[in-house]
Amino acid sequence: MANSTRKNSMHAQVEWQQGMQFKATSGSGHAVTMDGDKTNGASPMEMVLMAAGSCSSVDVVSILEKAKQSFERCEVAIEGKRADSVPAVFTDIHMHFIVYGTEVAPKHVERAVKLSAEKYCSVSIMLGASVNITHSFEIVAV
């Protein structure tokens, strides 16, 4: 692999375990179980949703911290709608961010979500080329 030494190159390995269960290992050595039957792990399409939510959450948390917002939790509920026919690709994904904290300014949360969606989240931006991705947020005072 000539490109594997490049800084922006990534790799992973997926190994069949049994049935529809697979062990996926990242290039950094972290492993997750995926299961096409969803009995012993998340399905590959669920992993796509989780990857988009995690990627965007990293951005939102980072931006809120830099804006010195006082929050103690950030969650994102992700809903994906899939095509009725094979391949059952995602047609729509909605991410709803919930930020828990005191005196969290809505303008900062809105800005963080927007920057993630439009500039920083590689996963969402990549998916957005073929999927309608929408975002919303709420702030819960604690």
Side-chain angles (χ1 to χ4, degrees):
M1 266 195 213
N3 291 337
S4 65
T5 58
R6 295 182 53 186
K7 285 183 181 181
N8 61 353
S9 178
M10 298 178 81
H11 67 278
Q13 180 175 336
V14 176
E15 180 183 347
W16 175 61
Q17 302 295 294
Q18 63 184 5
M20 289 291 113
Q21 185 177 331
F22 297 83
K23 176 183 174 185
T25 307
S26 67
S28 58
H30 297 84
V32 296
T33 299
M34 294 187 296
D35 191 336
D37 293 331
K38 301 183 211 175
T39 54
N40 294 305
S43 75
M45 291 301 279
E46 289 172 323
M47 294 292 286
V48 170
L49 286 182
M50 291 187 290
S54 296
C55 181
S56 195
S57 292
V58 166
D59 300 331
V60 169
V61 165
S62 176
I63 293 164
L64 290 176
E65 285 177 339
K66 287 176 184 165
K68 300 195 184 318
Q69 294 299 289
S70 181
F71 68 100
E72 49 187 66
R73 264 178 46 213
C74 179
E75 300 173 358
V76 61
I78 312 132
E79 180 181 352
K81 294 185 180 170
R82 297 175 68 183
D84 291 331
S85 58
V86 174
V89 298
F90 286 115
T91 57
D92 299 273
I93 293 175
H94 181 74
M95 293 191 210
H96 181 71
F97 289 87
I98 308 162
V99 179
Y100 298 81
T102 56
E103 299 181 29
V104 177
K107 71 177 185 178
H108 286 295
V109 178
E110 181 177 24
R111 179 178 176 269
V113 171
K114 184 175 182 177
L115 281 171
S116 176
E118 295 177 359
K119 186 174 182 181
Y120 294 117
C121 180
S122 304
V123 177
S124 291
I125 291 168
M126 179 178 62
L127 290 171
S130 61
V131 179
N132 176 42
I133 301 179
T134 56
H135 303 80
S136 60
F137 71 90
E138 69 180 286
I139 298 168
V140 177
V142 291

